[in-house]
Amino acid sequence: MASHENAEACWAGIPFEGITDAPTVSDKRRSLIELRNELALACAVELMLGSHAGQARPVLERLVESDPYQEDACALLALALYQQRRQAEALKRLGILRKRLRNDLGITPSPAVQQLELAILNQTDPELAGRNLLSPMSTWTGD
């Protein structure tokens, strides 16, 4: 995790900011931002697997802010909030995601996100539902 924090500290602003007239720069910019977000999500997954929801939360909040349609980040943020005994806030985050996906894209959240929301709502063990979210992502971190 320390290496992620070091890399995050080196990242300043938007790649190639101010260069707008080169199509290849735009593609590279988008690619670098996506790569950064994938790294941040993988680090958040590692923190969640290590029961460090409090440390994962700010990383996940930044990801959700930068891409509000990113289901994995939003679901992991809800799980982190729930693990910090913030059930109402976790449900609110998932509700915002559900409405945004429905209103903007005409789709519903993935089954894993729906399962997590139901588990949090019923106060059943969301850590088990959350494992469905963490498992596929662990391949990004080499597990």
Side-chain angles (χ1 to χ4, degrees):
M1 185 60 196
S3 60
H4 169 260
E5 290 170 349
N6 291 339
E8 185 78 25
C10 292
W11 184 283
I14 298 170
F16 308 114
E17 191 169 25
I19 301 173
T20 58
D21 58 349
T24 55
V25 170
S26 179
D27 291 342
K28 184 57 82 172
R29 176 185 302 120
R30 189 174 17 265
S31 176
L32 288 169
I33 290 171
E34 287 174 11
L35 184 61
R36 177 182 185 229
N37 289 344
E38 287 175 13
L39 171 64
L41 189 59
C43 289
V45 167
E46 286 299 312
L47 287 167
M48 296 291 292
L49 288 171
S51 300
H52 300 288
Q55 290 176 309
R57 199 177 92 229
V59 174
L60 294 165
E61 286 172 342
R62 283 192 300 272
L63 285 172
V64 170
E65 184 179 318
S66 71
D67 183 0
Y69 300 100
Q70 180 26 291
E71 283 188 79
D72 293 337
C74 188
L76 287 171
L77 176 56
L79 182 60
L81 289 165
Y82 185 84
Q83 288 175 350
Q84 293 180 298
R85 301 176 194 248
R86 299 167 72 177
Q87 179 186 7
E89 194 173 341
L91 289 170
K92 181 179 177 182
R93 289 285 187 157
L94 292 172
I96 290 169
L97 173 67
R98 186 178 2 85
K99 288 176 188 169
R100 182 174 282 130
L101 291 174
R102 182 186 63 230
N103 293 342
D104 296 353
L105 304 176
I107 61 174
T108 59
S110 67
V113 172
Q114 292 177 36
Q115 180 185 3
L116 177 65
E117 184 175 24
L118 186 60
I120 291 173
L121 184 63
N122 293 329
Q123 294 187 353
T124 55
D125 188 2
E127 289 184 345
L128 295 176
R131 292 291 174 194
N132 293 336
L133 298 167
L134 297 175
S135 296
M137 289 184 238
S138 65
T139 59
W140 294 346
T141 59
D143 291 349

